[in-house]
Coordinates of all heavy atoms in Angstrom, one line a residue:
M1 N 0.8 -1.1 0.0 CA 0.0 0.0 0.0 C 0.9 1.3 0.0 O 1.9 1.2 0.4 CB -0.9 0.0 1.2 CG -2.2 -0.9 1.0 SD -3.4 -0.7 2.3 CE -3.0 -2.1 3.2
K2 N 0.3 2.3 -0.6 CA 1.1 3.6 -0.7 C 0.0 4.7 -0.3 O -1.0 4.8 -0.8 CB 1.5 3.7 -2.1 CG 2.4 4.9 -2.4 CD 2.8 4.8 -3.8 CE 3.7 6.0 -4.1 NZ 4.3 6.0 -5.5
T3 N 0.4 5.5 0.6 CA -0.3 6.7 1.0 C 0.5 7.9 0.4 O 1.6 8.2 0.5 CB -0.4 6.9 2.6 OG1 -1.0 5.7 3.0 CG2 -1.2 8.1 2.9
I4 N -0.4 8.7 -0.3 CA 0.3 9.8 -1.1 C -0.8 11.0 -1.3 O -2.0 10.7 -1.3 CB 0.8 9.2 -2.4 CG1 1.6 10.3 -3.3 CG2 -0.5 8.7 -3.3 CD1 2.2 9.6 -4.5
I5 N -0.2 12.1 -1.6 CA -1.0 13.3 -1.9 C -1.1 13.4 -3.3 O -0.1 13.3 -4.0 CB -0.5 14.6 -1.3 CG1 -0.4 14.5 0.3 CG2 -1.3 15.8 -1.7 CD1 0.4 15.7 1.0
L6 N -2.4 13.6 -3.8 CA -2.7 13.5 -5.2 C -3.6 14.6 -5.6 O -4.4 15.2 -4.7 CB -3.2 12.2 -5.8 CG -2.3 11.0 -5.5 CD1 -3.3 9.7 -5.3 CD2 -1.3 10.8 -6.5
R7 N -3.7 14.9 -7.0 CA -4.6 15.8 -7.5 C -5.7 15.1 -8.3 O -5.2 14.3 -9.1 CB -4.0 16.9 -8.4 CG -4.9 18.0 -8.9 CD -4.1 19.1 -9.6 NE -2.9 19.5 -9.1 CZ -2.9 20.5 -8.1 NH1 -4.1 21.0 -7.6 NH2 -1.8 20.9 -7.5
V8 N -6.9 15.4 -8.2 CA -8.0 14.8 -8.9 C -8.0 15.3 -10.3 O -8.1 16.5 -10.5 CB -9.4 15.0 -8.3 CG1 -10.5 14.4 -9.2 CG2 -9.5 14.4 -6.9
K9 N -7.8 14.5 -11.3 CA -7.8 15.0 -12.7 C -9.3 14.8 -13.4 O -9.8 15.6 -14.1 CB -6.9 14.2 -13.6 CG -5.4 14.5 -13.2 CD -5.0 15.9 -13.3 CE -4.8 16.3 -14.7 NZ -4.2 17.8 -14.7
K10 N -9.9 13.6 -12.9 CA -11.3 13.3 -13.4 C -11.9 12.5 -12.3 O -11.3 11.7 -11.7 CB -11.3 12.5 -14.7 CG -10.8 13.3 -15.9 CD -10.9 12.4 -17.2 CE -10.3 13.3 -18.3 NZ -10.3 12.5 -19.6
C11 N -13.3 12.7 -12.3 CA -14.0 11.9 -11.4 C -15.2 11.3 -12.1 O -16.0 12.0 -12.8 CB -14.6 12.9 -10.3 SG -15.7 11.9 -9.0
G12 N -15.3 10.0 -12.2 CA -16.3 9.3 -13.1 C -17.6 9.3 -12.3 O -17.7 9.7 -11.2
V13 N -18.5 8.6 -13.0 CA -20.0 8.6 -12.5 C -20.0 7.4 -11.6 O -19.5 6.4 -11.9 CB -21.0 8.5 -13.6 CG1 -22.3 8.2 -13.1 CG2 -20.8 9.7 -14.5
M14 N -20.7 7.5 -10.4 CA -20.9 6.3 -9.6 C -21.9 5.2 -10.4 O -22.8 5.7 -10.8 CB -21.4 6.7 -8.2 CG -21.6 5.5 -7.3 SD -22.3 6.0 -5.8 CE -24.1 6.0 -6.2
T15 N -21.4 4.1 -10.2 CA -22.2 3.0 -10.9 C -22.5 1.9 -9.8 O -21.8 2.0 -8.7 CB -21.6 2.4 -12.0 OG1 -20.4 1.7 -11.8 CG2 -21.5 3.3 -13.2
T16 N -23.4 1.1 -10.0 CA -23.5 -0.1 -9.1 C -23.3 -1.4 -9.8 O -23.6 -1.6 -11.0 CB -24.9 -0.1 -8.5 OG1 -26.0 -0.2 -9.6 CG2 -25.2 1.0 -7.6
V17 N -22.7 -2.3 -9.1 CA -22.3 -3.6 -9.7 C -22.7 -4.7 -8.9 O -22.9 -4.5 -7.6 CB -20.7 -3.7 -10.1 CG1 -20.3 -2.7 -11.0 CG2 -19.9 -3.6 -8.7
Q18 N -23.0 -6.0 -9.4 CA -23.3 -7.1 -8.6 C -22.2 -7.6 -7.9 O -21.0 -7.6 -8.6 CB -23.9 -8.2 -9.6 CG -25.1 -7.8 -10.3 CD -26.3 -7.5 -9.4 OE1 -26.3 -8.1 -8.3 NE2 -27.4 -6.9 -9.9
S19 N -22.3 -7.9 -6.7 CA -21.1 -8.4 -5.9 C -21.6 -9.5 -4.9 O -22.6 -9.1 -4.0 CB -20.4 -7.3 -5.2 OG -19.4 -7.8 -4.4
D20 N -21.0 -10.5 -4.8 CA -21.3 -11.6 -3.7 C -20.8 -11.1 -2.4 O -21.2 -11.6 -1.2 CB -20.7 -13.0 -4.0 CG -21.2 -13.5 -5.4 OD1 -22.4 -13.3 -5.6 OD2 -20.6 -14.3 -6.0
K21 N -19.9 -10.2 -2.3 CA -19.2 -9.7 -1.1 C -20.0 -8.7 -0.4 O -19.9 -8.4 0.8 CB -17.7 -9.2 -1.4 CG -16.8 -10.3 -1.9 CD -15.5 -9.7 -2.1 CE -14.6 -10.9 -2.7 NZ -13.2 -10.4 -3.1
A22 N -20.9 -8.0 -1.2 CA -21.7 -7.0 -0.5 C -22.9 -7.7 0.2 O -23.5 -8.7 -0.2 CB -22.3 -6.0 -1.6
E23 N -23.5 -6.9 1.3 CA -24.6 -7.4 2.1 C -25.8 -7.6 1.2 O -26.5 -8.7 1.1 CB -24.8 -6.5 3.1 CG -24.0 -6.6 4.4 CD -24.4 -5.7 5.5 OE1 -25.6 -5.3 5.5 OE2 -23.5 -5.4 6.4
N24 N -26.1 -6.6 0.5 CA -27.4 -6.7 -0.4 C -27.1 -7.1 -1.8 O -28.1 -7.0 -2.7 CB -28.1 -5.4 -0.5 CG -27.2 -4.2 -1.0 OD1 -26.1 -4.4 -1.3 ND2 -27.8 -3.0 -1.0
G25 N -25.9 -7.6 -2.2 CA -25.5 -8.1 -3.5 C -25.2 -7.1 -4.6 O -25.0 -7.3 -5.6
V26 N -25.3 -5.8 -4.1 CA -24.9 -4.7 -5.0 C -23.8 -3.8 -4.3 O -23.9 -3.5 -3.1 CB -26.2 -3.9 -5.2 CG1 -25.7 -2.6 -6.2 CG2 -27.2 -4.6 -5.9
L27 N -22.8 -3.3 -5.2 CA -21.7 -2.6 -4.5 C -21.6 -1.3 -5.4 O -21.6 -1.4 -6.7 CB -20.4 -3.5 -4.8 CG -19.2 -3.0 -4.1 CD1 -19.2 -2.8 -2.6 CD2 -18.1 -3.8 -4.5
N28 N -21.4 -0.1 -4.7 CA -21.2 1.2 -5.4 C -19.8 1.1 -6.0 O -18.8 0.6 -5.3 CB -21.3 2.3 -4.4 CG -22.8 2.4 -4.0 OD1 -23.8 2.1 -4.9 ND2 -23.0 2.9 -2.8
K29 N -19.5 1.7 -7.1 CA -18.1 1.7 -7.7 C -18.0 3.1 -8.5 O -18.9 3.6 -9.2 CB -18.0 0.6 -8.6 CG -16.6 0.5 -9.3 CD -16.6 -0.8 -10.3 CE -15.3 -0.8 -10.9 NZ -15.3 -2.1 -11.9
R30 N -16.8 3.7 -8.3 CA -16.5 4.9 -9.0 C -15.1 4.9 -9.4 O -14.2 4.4 -8.7 CB -16.7 6.2 -8.2 CG -16.5 7.5 -8.8 CD -16.6 8.7 -7.9 NE -17.9 8.7 -7.2 CZ -18.9 9.5 -7.7 NH1 -18.9 10.2 -8.8 NH2 -20.0 9.5 -6.8
T31 N -14.8 5.4 -10.6 CA -13.4 5.5 -11.2 C -12.9 7.0 -11.1 O -13.6 7.8 -11.6 CB -13.2 4.9 -12.5 OG1 -13.8 3.6 -12.6 CG2 -11.8 4.8 -13.0
L32 N -11.6 7.1 -10.5 CA -11.1 8.5 -10.4 C -9.7 8.4 -11.3 O -9.1 7.3 -11.2 CB -10.8 8.8 -9.1 CG -11.9 8.8 -8.2 CD1 -11.4 9.0 -6.6 CD2 -12.8 10.0 -8.4
V33 N -9.3 9.5 -11.8 CA -8.0 9.5 -12.3 C -7.3 10.6 -11.4 O -7.6 11.7 -11.2 CB -8.0 10.2 -13.8 CG1 -6.5 10.4 -14.3 CG2 -8.7 9.2 -14.7
L34 N -6.3 10.2 -10.7 CA -5.5 10.9 -9.8 C -4.0 11.1 -10.4 O -3.5 10.1 -10.8 CB -5.4 10.1 -8.4 CG -6.8 9.9 -7.8 CD1 -6.7 9.2 -6.5 CD2 -7.6 11.2 -7.5
Q35 N -3.4 12.2 -10.1 CA -2.1 12.5 -10.5 C -1.2 13.0 -9.3 O -1.7 13.7 -8.5 CB -2.0 13.5 -11.6 CG -0.8 13.8 -12.3 CD -0.8 14.8 -13.4 OE1 -1.7 15.9 -13.4 NE2 -0.1 14.6 -14.4
E36 N 0.0 12.5 -9.3 CA 0.9 13.0 -8.4 C 1.3 14.6 -8.6 O 1.1 14.9 -9.7 CB 2.3 12.3 -8.4 CG 2.1 10.8 -8.1 CD 3.5 10.1 -8.1 OE1 4.5 10.6 -8.4 OE2 3.5 8.8 -7.9
L37 N 1.7 15.2 -7.4 CA 1.9 16.6 -7.6 C 3.2 17.0 -8.3 O 4.1 16.1 -8.3 CB 1.9 17.2 -6.2 CG 0.6 17.1 -5.3 CD1 0.9 17.7 -4.0 CD2 -0.5 17.6 -6.0
G38 N 3.3 18.1 -8.9 CA 4.4 18.4 -9.7 C 3.9 19.1 -11.0 O 2.9 19.7 -11.1
G39 N 4.6 18.6 -12.1 CA 4.3 19.1 -13.4 C 3.2 18.3 -14.1 O 2.6 17.3 -13.5
K40 N 2.8 18.7 -15.4 CA 1.6 18.0 -16.0 C 2.0 16.5 -16.4 O 1.2 15.8 -16.9 CB 1.2 18.6 -17.2 CG 2.2 19.0 -18.3 CD 1.4 19.7 -19.4 CE 2.3 19.8 -20.7 NZ 1.5 20.6 -21.7
Y41 N 3.4 16.3 -16.3 CA 3.8 14.9 -16.9 C 4.0 13.8 -15.6 O 4.7 12.8 -15.8 CB 5.0 15.0 -17.6 CG 4.7 15.7 -18.9 CD1 5.2 17.0 -19.0 CD2 3.9 15.2 -19.8 CE1 5.0 17.9 -20.2 CE2 3.6 16.0 -21.0 CZ 4.2 17.2 -21.2 OH 3.8 18.0 -22.2
E42 N 3.6 14.3 -14.4 CA 3.8 13.3 -13.2 C 3.0 12.1 -13.4 O 2.0 12.1 -14.2 CB 3.4 14.1 -12.0 CG 4.3 15.3 -11.7 CD 5.7 15.0 -11.4 OE1 6.0 13.9 -11.0 OE2 6.6 15.7 -11.8
N43 N 3.3 11.1 -12.7 CA 2.6 9.8 -12.6 C 1.1 10.0 -12.4 O 0.8 10.8 -11.5 CB 3.1 8.8 -11.6 CG 4.4 8.4 -12.0 OD1 4.9 8.3 -13.2 ND2 5.2 8.0 -11.0
S44 N 0.1 9.3 -13.2 CA -1.3 9.4 -13.0 C -1.7 8.0 -12.8 O -1.1 6.9 -13.2 CB -2.0 9.9 -14.2 OG -1.6 11.2 -14.4
Y45 N -2.8 7.8 -12.0 CA -3.3 6.4 -11.6 C -4.8 6.5 -11.9 O -5.4 7.4 -11.5 CB -3.1 6.2 -10.2 CG -1.7 6.2 -9.7 CD1 -1.2 7.4 -9.1 CD2 -0.7 5.3 -10.0 CE1 0.2 7.5 -8.7 CE2 0.6 5.3 -9.5 CZ 1.0 6.4 -9.0 OH 2.3 6.5 -8.4
V46 N -5.3 5.4 -12.5 CA -6.8 5.2 -12.7 C -7.1 4.4 -11.5 O -6.8 3.2 -11.4 CB -7.2 4.5 -14.0 CG1 -8.6 4.4 -14.0 CG2 -6.6 5.3 -15.1
V47 N -8.0 5.0 -10.5 CA -8.2 4.5 -9.3 C -9.6 4.1 -9.1 O -10.5 4.8 -9.4 CB -7.8 5.3 -8.1 CG1 -8.1 4.8 -6.7 CG2 -6.3 5.8 -8.3
T48 N -10.0 2.9 -8.5 CA -11.3 2.4 -8.3 C -11.7 2.7 -6.9 O -10.8 2.3 -5.9 CB -11.5 0.9 -8.7 OG1 -11.1 0.7 -10.0 CG2 -12.9 0.6 -8.5
T49 N -12.9 3.2 -6.5 CA -13.2 3.3 -5.2 C -14.5 2.5 -5.1 O -15.3 2.4 -6.1 CB -13.7 4.8 -4.8 OG1 -14.6 5.4 -5.7 CG2 -12.4 5.7 -4.8
L50 N -14.7 1.8 -4.0 CA -15.8 0.9 -3.8 C -16.6 1.1 -2.6 O -16.1 1.9 -1.6 CB -15.3 -0.5 -3.7 CG -14.5 -1.0 -4.9 CD1 -13.8 -2.3 -4.6 CD2 -15.4 -1.2 -6.1
G51 N -17.8 0.8 -2.6 CA -18.8 0.9 -1.4 C -19.1 2.4 -1.0 O -19.4 3.2 -1.9
N52 N -19.1 2.7 0.3 CA -19.4 4.1 0.7 C -18.4 5.1 0.0 O -18.8 6.3 -0.1 CB -19.3 4.2 2.2 CG -20.5 3.5 2.7 OD1 -21.6 3.2 2.1 ND2 -20.5 3.0 4.0
L53 N -17.1 4.8 -0.1 CA -16.1 5.7 -0.6 C -16.5 6.1 -2.0 O -16.2 7.3 -2.5 CB -14.7 4.9 -0.6 CG -13.4 5.7 -0.6 CD1 -13.4 6.8 0.5 CD2 -12.3 4.8 -0.6
A54 N -17.3 5.3 -2.8 CA -17.5 5.6 -4.1 C -18.8 6.6 -4.2 O -19.0 7.3 -5.2 CB -18.0 4.2 -4.9
T55 N -19.4 6.8 -3.2 CA -20.5 7.8 -3.0 C -20.0 9.3 -3.0 O -20.8 10.2 -3.1 CB -21.4 7.6 -1.9 OG1 -20.7 7.7 -0.6 CG2 -22.2 6.1 -2.0
I56 N -18.7 9.5 -2.7 CA -18.1 10.8 -2.5 C -17.8 11.4 -3.8 O -17.1 10.7 -4.6 CB -16.9 10.8 -1.6 CG1 -17.2 10.2 -0.3 CG2 -16.3 12.1 -1.5 CD1 -16.0 9.9 0.6
E57 N -18.3 12.6 -4.2 CA -17.9 13.3 -5.4 C -16.6 14.2 -5.2 O -16.6 14.8 -4.2 CB -19.0 14.1 -5.8 CG -20.2 13.5 -6.3 CD -20.6 13.6 -7.7 OE1 -19.7 14.2 -8.4 OE2 -21.5 13.0 -8.2
F58 N -15.8 14.1 -6.2 CA -14.6 14.9 -6.1 C -14.5 15.9 -7.2 O -14.9 15.5 -8.4 CB -13.3 14.0 -6.1 CG -13.2 13.1 -5.0 CD1 -13.7 11.8 -5.0 CD2 -12.6 13.5 -3.9 CE1 -13.6 11.0 -3.9 CE2 -12.5 12.7 -2.8 CZ -13.0 11.4 -2.8
A59 N -14.0 17.0 -7.0 CA -14.0 18.2 -8.1 C -12.6 18.1 -8.7 O -11.6 17.7 -8.1 CB -14.1 19.5 -7.4
E60 N -12.6 18.3 -10.1 CA -11.4 18.3 -10.8 C -10.4 19.4 -10.2 O -10.8 20.5 -9.8 CB -11.7 18.7 -12.2 CG -10.4 18.5 -13.1 CD -10.9 18.7 -14.7 OE1 -11.9 18.1 -15.1 OE2 -10.2 19.5 -15.3
G61 N -9.2 19.0 -10.0 CA -8.3 19.9 -9.3 C -8.1 19.8 -7.9 O -7.2 20.5 -7.2
E62 N -9.1 19.1 -7.3 CA -9.1 19.1 -5.7 C -7.9 18.1 -5.3 O -7.5 17.2 -5.9 CB -10.4 18.3 -5.4 CG -10.7 18.5 -3.9 CD -12.1 18.0 -3.6 OE1 -12.7 17.3 -4.4 OE2 -12.6 18.5 -2.7
L63 N -7.4 18.5 -4.1 CA -6.2 17.8 -3.5 C -6.7 16.7 -2.5 O -7.7 17.0 -1.8 CB -5.3 18.7 -2.8 CG -4.5 19.6 -3.7 CD1 -3.5 20.4 -2.8 CD2 -3.6 18.8 -4.8
V64 N -6.2 15.5 -2.6 CA -6.7 14.4 -1.8 C -5.4 13.7 -1.2 O -4.4 13.7 -1.8 CB -7.6 13.4 -2.5 CG1 -8.9 14.1 -2.9 CG2 -6.9 12.7 -3.6
I65 N -5.7 13.0 -0.1 CA -4.7 12.0 0.5 C -5.3 10.7 0.2 O -6.4 10.5 0.6 CB -4.4 12.4 2.0 CG1 -3.8 13.6 2.2 CG2 -3.4 11.2 2.5 CD1 -3.6 14.0 3.7
A66 N -4.6 9.7 -0.5 CA -5.2 8.5 -0.7 C -4.2 7.5 -0.3 O -3.1 7.4 -0.3 CB -5.4 8.4 -2.3
N67 N -4.9 6.3 0.2 CA -4.2 5.2 0.5 C -4.4 4.1 -0.6 O -5.7 3.7 -0.6 CB -4.6 4.6 2.0 CG -3.9 3.5 2.4 OD1 -3.9 2.4 1.7 ND2 -3.2 3.5 3.4
L68 N -3.6 3.8 -1.5 CA -3.8 3.1 -2.6 C -3.2 1.7 -2.5 O -2.2 1.5 -1.9 CB -3.2 3.7 -3.9 CG -3.5 5.1 -4.1 CD1 -2.8 5.6 -5.4 CD2 -5.0 5.2 -4.4
R69 N -4.1 0.7 -2.9 CA -3.6 -0.7 -2.9 C -3.4 -1.2 -4.3 O -4.3 -1.1 -5.1 CB -4.6 -1.6 -2.2 CG -4.3 -3.1 -2.3 CD -5.2 -3.8 -1.3 NE -6.7 -3.3 -1.4 CZ -7.6 -4.0 -2.0 NH1 -7.5 -5.1 -2.6 NH2 -8.8 -3.5 -2.0
F70 N -2.3 -1.7 -4.7 CA -1.9 -2.2 -6.0 C -2.0 -3.7 -6.0 O -1.4 -4.3 -5.3 CB -0.5 -1.8 -6.5 CG -0.4 -0.2 -6.5 CD1 -0.1 0.5 -5.3 CD2 -0.5 0.5 -7.7 CE1 0.1 1.9 -5.4 CE2 -0.4 1.8 -7.7 CZ -0.1 2.5 -6.6
Q71 N -2.7 -4.2 -7.0 CA -2.8 -5.7 -7.1 C -2.9 -6.1 -8.5 O -3.4 -5.4 -9.4 CB -4.1 -6.2 -6.2 CG -5.4 -5.8 -6.8 CD -6.6 -6.2 -5.9 OE1 -6.4 -6.2 -4.7 NE2 -7.6 -6.4 -6.5
T72 N -2.5 -7.3 -8.8 CA -2.5 -7.9 -10.2 C -3.5 -9.1 -10.3 O -3.6 -9.7 -9.3 CB -1.1 -8.2 -10.6 OG1 -0.6 -9.2 -9.8 CG2 -0.1 -7.0 -10.8
R73 N -4.0 -9.3 -11.4 CA -4.9 -10.5 -11.5 C -4.6 -11.0 -13.0 O -4.2 -10.3 -13.9 CB -6.4 -10.0 -11.3 CG -6.9 -9.0 -12.3 CD -8.2 -8.6 -11.9 NE -8.6 -7.4 -12.6 CZ -9.1 -7.3 -13.7 NH1 -9.3 -8.4 -14.4 NH2 -9.5 -6.1 -14.3
E74 N -5.0 -12.3 -13.2 CA -4.8 -12.8 -14.5 C -6.2 -13.1 -15.1 O -7.1 -13.6 -14.4 CB -4.0 -14.1 -14.4 CG -3.6 -14.6 -15.8 CD -2.7 -15.7 -15.7 OE1 -1.8 -15.9 -14.9 OE2 -2.8 -16.8 -16.5
Y75 N -6.3 -12.8 -16.3 CA -7.5 -13.0 -17.0 C -7.3 -13.5 -18.5 O -6.7 -12.7 -19.2 CB -8.5 -11.9 -16.9 CG -9.9 -12.1 -17.6 CD1 -10.8 -12.8 -17.0 CD2 -10.2 -11.5 -18.9 CE1 -12.1 -13.0 -17.6 CE2 -11.3 -11.6 -19.5 CZ -12.3 -12.4 -18.8 OH -13.5 -12.6 -19.6
N76 N -7.7 -14.6 -18.8 CA -7.5 -15.3 -20.2 C -6.0 -15.0 -20.6 O -5.6 -14.7 -21.7 CB -8.3 -14.4 -21.2 CG -9.8 -14.8 -21.2 OD1 -10.0 -15.9 -20.7 ND2 -10.6 -14.0 -21.7
G77 N -5.1 -15.4 -19.7 CA -3.8 -15.6 -20.0 C -3.0 -14.2 -19.9 O -1.8 -14.1 -20.2
Q78 N -3.7 -13.0 -19.6 CA -3.1 -11.8 -19.6 C -3.1 -11.2 -18.1 O -4.0 -11.5 -17.4 CB -3.9 -10.7 -20.5 CG -3.8 -11.1 -21.9 CD -4.4 -10.0 -22.8 OE1 -5.4 -9.3 -22.3 NE2 -3.9 -9.9 -24.0
A79 N -2.1 -10.5 -17.7 CA -2.0 -9.9 -16.3 C -2.5 -8.3 -16.4 O -2.2 -7.7 -17.4 CB -0.5 -9.9 -15.9
F80 N -3.3 -8.2 -15.4 CA -4.0 -6.7 -15.3 C -3.6 -6.2 -13.9 O -3.5 -7.0 -12.9 CB -5.4 -6.7 -15.5 CG -5.8 -7.2 -16.8 CD1 -6.1 -8.6 -17.3 CD2 -6.0 -6.3 -17.9 CE1 -6.5 -8.9 -18.4 CE2 -6.4 -6.7 -19.2 CZ -6.7 -8.0 -19.4
M81 N -3.3 -4.9 -13.8 CA -3.1 -4.4 -12.5 C -4.2 -3.5 -12.3 O -4.7 -2.7 -13.0 CB -1.8 -3.5 -12.5 CG -1.6 -2.7 -11.2 SD -0.2 -1.8 -11.0 CE 1.0 -3.1 -10.7
D82 N -4.7 -3.6 -10.9 CA -5.8 -2.8 -10.4 C -5.3 -1.9 -9.4 O -4.4 -2.4 -8.6 CB -6.9 -3.7 -9.7 CG -7.5 -4.6 -10.7 OD1 -7.9 -4.2 -12.0 OD2 -7.9 -5.7 -10.5
V83 N -5.8 -0.6 -9.3 CA -5.4 0.3 -8.3 C -6.6 0.6 -7.5 O -7.6 1.2 -8.0 CB -4.7 1.5 -8.8 CG1 -4.2 2.5 -7.7 CG2 -3.6 1.2 -9.8
I84 N -6.7 0.2 -6.3 CA -8.0 0.4 -5.4 C -7.6 1.4 -4.3 O -6.5 1.2 -3.6 CB -8.3 -0.9 -4.8 CG1 -8.4 -2.1 -5.7 CG2 -9.6 -0.7 -4.0 CD1 -9.6 -1.9 -6.7
A85 N -8.5 2.4 -4.1 CA -8.3 3.4 -3.0 C -9.0 2.7 -1.8 O -10.2 2.4 -1.7 CB -9.0 4.6 -3.2
N86 N -8.2 2.4 -0.6 CA -8.7 1.8 0.6 C -9.4 3.1 1.4 O -10.3 2.9 2.0 CB -7.6 1.2 1.4 CG -7.2 -0.1 0.8 OD1 -7.9 -0.7 0.0 ND2 -5.9 -0.5 1.0
E87 N -8.5 4.2 1.3 CA -9.1 5.5 2.0 C -8.7 6.5 1.1 O -7.7 6.5 0.3 CB -8.4 5.6 3.3 CG -8.7 4.6 4.3 CD -8.0 4.9 5.6 OE1 -8.0 6.0 6.2 OE2 -7.1 4.1 6.1
I88 N -9.7 7.6 1.1 CA -9.3 8.9 0.4 C -10.0 9.9 1.1 O -11.2 9.9 1.5 CB -9.7 8.7 -1.1 CG1 -9.3 9.8 -1.9 CG2 -11.3 8.5 -1.2 CD1 -9.4 9.6 -3.4
C89 N -9.3 11.1 1.4 CA -9.8 12.2 2.1 C -9.4 13.4 1.4 O -8.3 13.7 0.9 CB -9.1 12.3 3.5 SG -9.2 10.9 4.6
K90 N -10.4 14.3 1.3 CA -10.1 15.6 0.7 C -9.2 16.5 1.5 O -9.3 16.5 2.8 CB -11.5 16.4 0.5 CG -12.4 15.6 -0.4 CD -13.8 16.3 -0.7 CE -14.7 15.6 -1.5 NZ -15.9 16.3 -1.7
I91 N -8.4 17.3 1.0 CA -7.5 18.3 1.7 C -8.2 19.6 1.7 O -8.6 20.1 0.5 CB -6.1 18.3 1.2 CG1 -5.4 16.9 1.3 CG2 -5.3 19.3 1.8 CD1 -4.0 16.9 0.8
K92 N -8.4 20.2 2.9 CA -9.1 21.5 2.8 C -8.0 22.6 2.5 O -6.9 22.5 2.9 CB -9.7 21.9 4.2 CG -10.6 20.8 4.7 CD -11.9 20.8 3.9 CE -12.9 20.0 4.4 NZ -14.0 19.7 3.4
D93 N -8.4 23.5 1.7 CA -7.4 24.7 1.3 C -7.4 25.6 2.4 O -8.2 25.9 3.1 CB -7.9 25.3 0.0 CG -7.8 24.4 -1.2 OD1 -7.0 23.7 -1.2 OD2 -8.5 24.7 -2.2

């Protein structure tokens, strides 16, 4: 896991997905694009938020502190990396 200060580049629309792990069988999900601080060519991450965390709307350009979990999975013989936000907090100006 990695805790880092990031800038919100894009905030996607919250959707619901079927999940066996959720109590009611449905899980909230939102995708964010977060970028490290610095110039416009700093590292960016496409981050998934799940559950109650996905209900929070973030404004473009807003600063956040995020605890990110990086994991890989295999599907049809190909490896994919997922970036999941375990925690994310807005930084007040």
Side-chain angles (χ1 to χ4, degrees):
M1 281 191 254
K2 181 177 186 179
T3 302
I4 188 169
I5 298 174
L6 302 157
R7 183 177 312 280
V8 176
K9 298 301 283 182
K10 290 185 183 178
C11 181
V13 176
M14 185 186 75
T15 60
T16 56
V17 294
Q18 298 293 340
S19 174
D20 295 333
K21 296 180 181 179
E23 281 184 25
N24 59 0
V26 177
L27 186 65
N28 294 327
K29 180 178 179 180
R30 183 187 302 267
T31 302
L32 304 167
V33 177
L34 303 176
Q35 185 177 39
E36 292 180 0
L37 300 181
K40 67 179 184 176
Y41 300 109
E42 296 298 326
N43 292 330
S44 292
Y45 306 97
V46 177
V47 177
T48 301
T49 57
L50 301 169
N52 291 336
L53 203 53
T55 62
I56 302 170
E57 292 250 0
F58 295 94
E60 191 172 310
E62 192 168 28
L63 294 178
V64 296
I65 297 175
N67 183 296
L68 305 178
R69 177 172 37 109
F70 298 85
Q71 62 187 35
T72 58
R73 59 186 167 82
E74 189 175 324
Y75 181 75
N76 285 341
Q78 294 183 330
F80 296 91
M81 178 176 278
D82 295 322
V83 182
I84 308 293
N86 290 337
E87 294 180 56
I88 189 165
C89 301
K90 297 179 181 183
I91 298 176
K92 303 289 183 199
D93 290 333

